[in-house]
Amino acid sequence: MADAQFKQQIENALENKTLRGALGRFVDTYSDAREKAYEGYDVEALRDQVVEVKAYAAEHLDEMIDKFEKAATARGAKVYRAKTGEDAKRYILELAKKQNVQHIVKSKSMASEEIHLNQTLIDAGMDVQETDLGEWIIQMAGQRPSHMVMPAIHLTKEEVADEFTKNLHYHNDPEISKLVKTARAEMRKKFMEADMGISGANIAVAETGTLMMVTNEGNACLTSTWPKTHVFLVGIEKFVNNFEDASSILQMLPRNGTCQQITSYVTMVTGPTPAYYPDGTIKDKDFHIVLMDNGRRKMYEDEKFKKTFQCIRCAACLNVCPAFQLVGGHVYGHIYTGGIGIILTNFLNSPDDTANPQNLCIQCGRCNEVCAGRLNISEMILEVRNRIGEQKGLPFVQKFALDVVSNRRLFHSLLKIASKAQLPFSKGQPMIRHLPMFLSGLTKNGSLPTVADVPFRDVIKTIKQDVKNPKGTIAFFGGCLIDFVYPHIGEGVVRGLNEKGYKVTFPEGQSCCGAPASYMGDRLNARKSAVINIEAMNAEDVDYVVSACPTCTHALKDSFRDLVADDPAMLKRAEELNRKTFDFSKLLYDLGGLEPGGDGKPLKITYHDSCHLKRSLGVYKEQREILKNINGIELVEMKDSDRCCGFGGSYSIKFPEMAGPMLEKKLKNINNTGAEVVAVDCPGCLMQITGGLDKENSPVKVMHTAELVLEKWTK
């Protein structure tokens, strides 16, 4: 699908007030409801258990399959191993034809959605009826699931009533209790006439050949017991070794997915159950289990993606995703939706199906925090993005811009030119509020800062560092924004570290950290930047390397190692850089923090947590302790302080229509605190939030922690 078409899909979803309202209400309440569901449980210990049992099963996959088949066959099941989705469809279709099946009922199965099983059976003249209420609704509406656990979350009761009326040919009122009663009556008829039932499974227990289904409606029980033929379609990633291993998943799946302590039904099927025939006879039903690969082994064998077998399909990653909240799964996904959906689609369907949706990931990392299997979903999506970039290339303008950024001398020269060329737009003010013609989108959601007259690389030469008997030397990595837009932050970094007895240097050879290239899928230019900066920072000759931009810190500590892993000598230097690199607040805190002091003037502030600083680097307490030691500061926490502000580097430029609503929510939470200042530790967040507040003509200021140290504490 062309980018223009995808952009139109985004616009349509954003204009759908019903969709925005339904997703917004759910996502806004999810975190609190999840926390309540886990009361009395050690959620991190449960996550560890899930990782252990799922990783073990994946490492012993063939053993699990053999053990399962042996146990299931001994209990009367017929087990078929399907290498591809086509194999699975062919087996089920031939079985249905052989038994002259006319009517099929299905309980919820994303695996069947994955291979378009319904359409194959319908094309063969069979009546296929979804029996999960949400699945039935979207089947009537001719749609696909928008959420892996709650497939019809995007529809209102009025829209559901209209679909019932249109498809059932009698009037239905938009009252939930009446709609459920109607569904129950209609479904019962379908169950009674069904020749075949088809089910998915949440868990497959290898030791006993047992399949488990976790549901809330009871339809899975009826699907597996009423028809004379029953087929399970199960992905080979669903295995655990035994019942004890399954228990941790059963404890996490409902709590993570729907914030329930347990679902209404946990159905366990071990072998065929009796089937009651019209002539009054009772026989064991014809019971089949299709174990489907369809790209799963390939996914596991890929070192970057093997941990996907630890996913339990709880869809928690969708429930906290700011992008999913805005547009839902019909835009952010293919068949599998949201963050994990991008990864699954890439292997189980086609990389082409992920090409557009993967761009909607803003890399905030909230998904990683709640994933039951501890997957680094955002990192995996970034890997998908880079592989697409390598295979298909980037658009010319985007590629040209990244080529410029990775050329240090050219990039820095252009920024110096920009500091003069911006004057007609800034009119001498520190913010640019409007840009003309095709550039107007850059100022749609907020004003932009001007490029500094003097970059920090020149400012630092004028700073007198009066440090007697220095304890050591710290190399400062400024990053593009501090060096060329916010040099005042750099001054605060120097002053704060001088107070701890260290001299600060600014290596001249440093350039962009390469994050823009990485996040846009240009691994080649990201690697160029990594090499430039590893050589420039020369970590071997300093005590520490400090950055005041979490994105840069993350690049220096983690990304560089991956990018130069093929060069042993460079990797060794990257490892040294990793060991010595700290974000400013973290290093200042570890060096002893600030002694209580400052100007004592009352100042009410709130704090916004940068995504990279909190989630990638685990820093969120340290900066608060630093700020509390500045006399006069009153720190008031805002709601959802760690919710993404919508900056995401190039994201706010590529998708201003997505970044805008994210920023609006952040500004609302800021304004509700009554704070005079928003403290941040990320120059990108500072730029995004400042621009939004300026657009509102708000008196609230945004300041980096280093600036507050400089202005409120430094003697």
Side-chain angles (χ1 to χ4, degrees):
M1 182 180 296
D3 286 339
Q5 291 176 290
F6 185 62
K7 281 276 193 176
Q8 188 59 55
Q9 283 190 347
I10 294 172
E11 291 288 352
N12 293 343
L14 291 172
E15 290 170 5
N16 186 332
K17 293 182 179 179
T18 300
L19 174 70
R20 291 277 300 276
L23 292 173
R25 286 188 295 273
F26 176 72
V27 174
D28 284 345
T29 59
Y30 171 78
S31 294
D32 289 341
R34 178 179 181 267
E35 185 177 349
K36 186 173 180 62
Y38 277 112
E39 284 180 357
Y41 284 79
D42 185 340
V43 62
E44 298 308 320
L46 276 177
R47 293 176 79 193
D48 289 340
Q49 289 173 29
V50 169
V51 170
E52 183 180 349
V53 302
K54 292 289 285 179
Y56 177 85
E59 289 166 7
H60 300 81
L61 182 58
D62 289 319
E63 178 188 328
M64 294 293 118
I65 294 174
D66 291 342
K67 192 186 296 187
F68 178 90
E69 182 173 4
K70 182 178 179 181
T73 302
R75 288 168 172 80
K78 301 176 183 68
V79 178
Y80 178 72
R81 304 186 188 193
K83 186 174 182 180
T84 66
E86 291 302 316
D87 289 342
K89 287 193 291 186
R90 182 169 52 251
Y91 180 88
I92 295 170
L93 179 60
E94 289 176 357
L95 174 65
K97 286 180 176 179
K98 181 180 178 181
Q99 299 192 358
N100 196 30
V101 168
Q102 298 298 312
H103 302 284
I104 299 172
V105 287
K106 288 178 71 251
S107 61
K108 191 170 182 301
S109 167
M110 287 304 298
S112 71
E113 298 274 357
E114 172 191 326
I115 63 174
H116 307 289
L117 177 61
N118 284 15
Q119 196 59 51
T120 298
L121 298 171
I122 290 169
D123 289 345
M126 299 168 200
D127 170 45
V128 181
Q129 180 67 57
E130 295 287 353
T131 63
D132 174 270
L133 180 55
E135 291 281 351
W136 184 45
I137 291 167
I138 64 170
Q139 184 182 30
M140 283 192 291
Q143 299 180 10
R144 57 180 175 81
S146 65
H147 189 287
M148 286 190 287
V149 175
M150 296 163 283
I153 189 176
H154 60 291
L155 298 174
T156 64
K157 61 182 186 295
E158 288 78 16
E159 290 172 321
V160 173
D162 289 344
E163 289 297 337
F164 276 27
T165 298
K166 181 171 68 175
N167 287 274
L168 302 178
H169 308 296
Y170 57 83
H171 180 72
N172 284 266
D173 293 320
E175 295 182 31
I176 293 175
S177 59
K178 289 184 178 180
L179 293 171
V180 172
K181 188 175 181 180
T182 296
R184 186 179 294 119
E186 293 293 330
M187 291 294 181
R188 189 55 58 103
K189 291 185 288 187
K190 293 293 184 179
F191 282 121
M192 292 178 69
E193 67 183 12
D195 308 299
M196 175 183 280
I198 299 177
S199 302
N202 297 99
I203 304 170
V205 182
E207 235 175 44
T208 58
T210 302
L211 293 160
M212 296 186 182
M213 297 176 285
V214 180
T215 65
N216 277 313
E217 299 167 23
N219 60 305
C221 304
L222 290 171
T223 300
S224 63
T225 56
W226 216 320
K228 63 183 180 181
T229 300
H230 184 212
V231 180
F232 266 106
L233 178 61
V234 186
I236 58 174
E237 78 281 15
K238 296 296 180 72
F239 284 106
V240 296
N241 190 36
N242 51 43
F243 270 89
E244 184 180 356
D245 288 351
S247 66
S248 58
I249 297 173
L250 290 175
Q251 290 178 78
M252 284 215 77
L253 184 54
R255 288 179 170 85
N256 242 27
T258 54
C259 305
Q260 297 170 274
Q261 292 189 349
I262 193 168
T263 51
S264 302
Y265 300 89
V266 177
T267 306
M268 304 182 190
V269 180
T270 307
T273 55
Y276 296 82
Y277 288 77
D279 61 3
T281 59
I282 302 174
K283 301 177 183 177
D284 278 350
K285 68 170 67 263
D286 194 16
F287 185 50
H288 297 255
I289 303 169
V290 179
L291 302 177
M292 184 171 69
D293 180 347
N294 198 39
R296 287 163 171 81
R297 282 185 187 273
K298 182 180 178 183
M299 184 165 61
Y300 181 74
E301 289 163 2
D302 190 314
E303 198 60 36
K304 296 283 188 179
F305 297 97
K306 67 185 304 177
K307 289 184 179 180
T308 49
F309 268 55
Q310 293 163 201
C311 171
I312 63 172
R313 302 294 193 275
C314 65
C317 52
L318 283 65
N319 300 343
V320 298
C321 175
F324 185 87
Q325 180 179 10
L326 291 173
V327 297
H330 290 154
V331 178
Y332 191 17
H334 177 59
I335 291 168
Y336 294 103
T337 56
I340 190 62
I342 295 299
I343 301 155
L344 297 174
T345 297
N346 189 66
F347 285 91
L348 309 185
N349 295 109
S350 165
D352 291 340
D353 296 323
T354 69
N356 277 314
Q358 59 82 20
N359 283 301
L360 289 181
C361 173
I362 197 170
Q363 290 290 303
C364 71
R366 289 192 81 191
C367 49
N368 307 331
E369 287 186 315
V370 298
C371 176
R374 293 195 184 279
L375 275 67
N376 192 328
I377 296 170
S378 57
E379 186 178 275
M380 291 180 179
I381 294 174
L382 194 56
E383 179 64 22
V384 169
R385 184 174 299 169
N386 276 277
R387 291 186 185 187
I388 290 172
E390 289 167 349
Q391 292 163 7
K392 297 190 173 185
L394 300 178
F396 173 77
V397 174
Q398 188 172 309
K399 178 63 175 171
F400 175 76
L402 293 173
D403 286 344
V404 169
V405 170
S406 67
N407 184 323
R408 181 178 67 84
R409 293 187 181 280
L410 176 59
F411 180 46
H412 292 175
S413 297
L414 289 176
L415 285 171
K416 288 181 180 179
I417 292 171
S419 70
K420 308 301 179 187
Q422 69 193 347
L423 292 176
F425 308 112
S426 67
K427 299 177 182 177
Q429 298 300 311
M431 302 295 290
I432 298 173
R433 293 183 170 86
H434 302 286
L435 285 171
M437 301 187 305
F438 63 90
L439 295 175
S440 61
L442 297 177
T443 51
K444 179 181 179 181
N445 298 318
S447 306
L448 292 174
T450 55
V451 177
D453 291 334
V454 182
F456 181 72
R457 60 183 56 235
D458 293 332
V459 170
I460 193 172
K461 297 170 185 175
T462 68
I463 298 174
K464 184 180 178 183
Q465 299 189 49
D466 189 15
V467 182
K468 297 177 181 178
N469 302 315
K471 296 177 183 177
T473 303
I474 298 174
F476 177 42
F477 184 87
C480 304
L481 284 177
I482 293 177
D483 195 1
F484 292 96
V485 180
Y486 300 118
H488 198 53
I489 295 174
E491 292 181 60
V493 170
V494 173
R495 292 301 186 203
L497 296 175
N498 284 169
E499 289 290 341
K500 303 312 298 181
Y502 286 86
K503 292 277 255 182
V504 180
T505 65
F506 189 90
E508 282 285 331
Q510 64 180 276
S511 188
C512 173
C513 68
S518 286
Y519 297 148
M520 293 172 77
D522 186 355
R523 193 162 10 220
L524 181 61
N525 272 320
R527 190 184 190 284
K528 286 181 183 177
S529 295
V531 171
I532 288 171
N533 287 305
I534 290 169
E535 292 177 340
M537 299 313 292
N538 202 17
E540 298 84 354
D541 291 344
V542 295
D543 297 281
Y544 301 103
V545 174
V546 70
S547 168
C549 171
T551 303
C552 295
T553 308
H554 175 61
L556 269 63
K557 284 187 69 65
D558 299 313
S559 301
F560 285 6
R561 291 185 299 174
D562 292 336
L563 289 166
V564 301
D566 60 340
D567 182 336
M570 193 60 68
L571 177 59
K572 183 179 179 181
R573 298 188 70 185
E575 294 283 4
E576 184 69 11
L577 183 59
N578 164 272
R579 285 190 289 273
K580 291 185 176 179
T581 297
F582 292 82
D583 207 76
F584 169 68
S585 288
K586 173 65 174 172
L587 181 58
L588 184 60
Y589 180 83
D590 286 355
L591 292 175
L594 296 177
E595 295 295 327
D599 60 18
K601 294 178 182 178
L603 183 66
K604 187 176 183 180
I605 72 170
T606 189
Y607 188 83
H608 161 72
D609 287 281
S610 127
C611 298
H612 270 116
L613 189 59
K614 183 179 181 187
R615 299 192 182 96
S616 297
L617 301 172
V619 179
Y620 58 95
K621 296 178 181 177
E622 292 87 343
Q623 61 269 47
R624 286 169 168 83
E625 291 300 319
I626 290 169
L627 293 170
K628 287 176 183 176
N629 273 346
I630 301 177
N631 292 339
I633 282 184
E634 176 192 358
L635 178 59
V636 181
E637 293 291 348
M638 75 172 83
K639 180 183 178 184
D640 295 331
S641 65
D642 62 350
R643 182 190 287 268
C644 184
C645 67
F647 176 64
S650 60
Y651 192 93
S652 55
I653 299 172
K654 288 173 63 180
F655 296 107
E657 63 274 71
M658 298 285 290
M662 295 181 199
L663 177 59
E664 285 175 20
K665 195 171 285 288
K666 175 59 64 175
L667 297 183
K668 180 180 178 182
N669 291 341
I670 289 169
N671 290 326
N672 286 342
T673 67
E676 303 164 72
V677 169
V678 186
V680 300
D681 273 79
C682 173
C685 297
L686 188 151
M687 182 170 79
Q688 176 81 341
I689 297 171
T690 300
L693 290 169
D694 184 72
K695 201 80 169 179
E696 292 182 350
N697 293 314
S698 171
V700 179
K701 293 176 64 178
V702 189
M703 297 180 71
H704 194 285
T705 296
E707 291 181 288
L708 284 164
V709 169
L710 180 66
E711 295 191 9
K712 294 286 292 176
W713 186 88
T714 303
K715 300 167 186 176

